[in-house]
Amino acid sequence: MRIAVIGTGNVGSALGRRWADAGHEIIFGSRDPASDKVQALLRSIGHNARVVSAGEAMAGADVIVLATAWSAVQPTLAAGGDLTGKIIIDATNPFLPGLILAVGHTTSAGEQVAAWALGARVVKAFNSTGAGNMADPVYAGVQPTMFICGDDASAKATVADLTGQIGFEPVDAGPLSLARVLEPLAALWVNLAYSQGMGPNIAFKLLQR
Ligand SMILES: NC(=O)c1ccc[n+]([C@@H]2O[C@H](COP(=O)([O-])OP(=O)(O)OC[C@H]3O[C@@H](n4cnc5c(N)ncnc54)[C@H](OP(=O)(O)O)[C@@H]3O)[C@@H](O)[C@H]2O)c1
C-alpha cells in the first residue's frame, strides 16, 4: 500500500518506519525534504521510503497519515487538493498548552479534518498513545489497544489491518464523532506519562469478558 506520512517528527517517523518495515511504500511529506533531519530519517529506515512535499505525497497515496502539529493540519490538507476517496488517518491531537483541547465536546479534530478534506474517508487512530509505543508497542507479549473511529466501514477495516500489522490490537470505537472522546483520552495518556510521573512506557488495554 502507498502511505503518505505527513510530518517527520515523533509520530510520523515511528509510523513510517514501522510500515516501511512491514513492506509498504512510505512517502513522507515534509516542509523541507532536503533537511539533514529528514535525510537522516530516510537513511535510518533504509528501504521503502522517500520524501517529497506534503502536497506531492498526498497526491499519490492510498492512505494519508496526518502527523503534524494541529495548527498545521488545515494548510496541509489544502495543499493536498482533491482528496476524495482517500483514507486519512488522523493521528493529531488539538492540544493547546496545558493539555487544553482547542476543539472538543461538540466536535473534534477528527471531524474537523473530515470537514476540511471533503470526500476523504477519515479514521481517527494513533492519537491516544505515545510515539514510543508506535515504535515498540508490545508489552511482554501483550498488544496495546488502539482505538479507532470513523464513518466509512471499509476505511476502518483498512486502518484496523494497518494497525494490527505494527503490533496493536485495533478496537473500533464507532463513528468519527467518537473522536470527541478519543482526543481527551490522549490527554489522559500524556498526563499519566508526564504529570503523574509514570513515564512514556505505558499503554491502554481494553479487557473484555
Ligand atoms: N508525540 C506523541 O507521542 C504523540 C502521540 C499521539 C499523537 N500525537 C499527535 O501527533 C501530531 C504530531 O506529534 P509529534 O510529536 O510527532 O510532533 P513533532 O515531533 O513536533 O512533529 C510534527 C511534524 O509535523 C511537521 N510539520 C508540518 N507543518 C508543521 C508546522 N507548521 N509546525 C510544526 N510541525 C509541522 C514537521 O515535519 P517536517 O519538518 O518534516 O515538515 C514536524 O516534524 C500532533 O498533533 C500530536 O498531538 C503525538
Side-chain angles (χ1 to χ4, degrees):
M1 190 165 280
R2 187 176 289 181
I3 304 173
V5 177
I6 312 303
T8 58
N10 301 302
V11 171
S13 62
L15 291 175
R17 182 187 308 280
R18 296 298 312 286
W19 280 320
D21 287 347
H24 296 287
E25 180 185 353
I26 303 304
I27 314 169
F28 286 105
S30 172
R31 292 168 297 177
D32 188 0
S35 71
D36 291 347
K37 176 195 90 164
V38 174
Q39 290 300 315
L41 172 65
L42 285 189
R43 280 195 300 279
S44 75
I45 293 175
H47 58 157
N48 294 346
R50 59 194 167 95
V51 59
V52 292
S53 69
E56 288 173 273
M58 289 187 276
D62 309 306
V63 174
I64 296 165
V65 182
L66 295 177
T68 69
W70 171 241
S71 58
V73 169
Q74 185 174 20
T76 296
L77 289 170
D82 184 4
L83 300 175
T84 301
K86 293 187 187 289
I87 296 173
I88 296 180
I89 298 176
D90 174 26
T92 68
N93 284 307
F95 290 155
L96 300 171
L99 282 185
I100 293 165
L101 292 165
V103 292
H105 298 292
T106 57
T107 187
S108 61
E111 290 162 278
Q112 188 63 73
V113 166
W116 287 331
L118 280 180
R121 300 179 291 156
V122 179
V123 178
K124 191 89 199 178
F126 295 103
N127 73 299
S128 61
T129 199
N133 287 328
M134 301 175 203
D136 180 17
V138 180
Y139 284 69
V142 178
Q143 294 188 326
T145 297
M146 180 55 66
F147 294 107
I148 69 174
C149 66
D151 293 335
D152 184 290
S154 73
K156 270 198 292 197
T158 298
V159 175
D161 190 30
L162 287 170
T163 302
Q165 286 177 27
I166 59 170
F168 289 92
E169 176 198 42
V171 170
D172 182 355
L176 190 59
S177 59
L178 266 290
R180 297 173 195 183
V181 296
L182 295 189
E183 290 162 12
L185 185 61
L188 175 63
W189 187 94
V190 173
N191 179 68
L192 292 174
Y194 298 112
S195 299
Q196 296 303 110
M198 297 180 78
N201 286 309
I202 56 171
F204 296 128
K205 181 70 181 174
L206 184 69
L207 302 178
Q208 185 177 28
R209 66 182 169 198

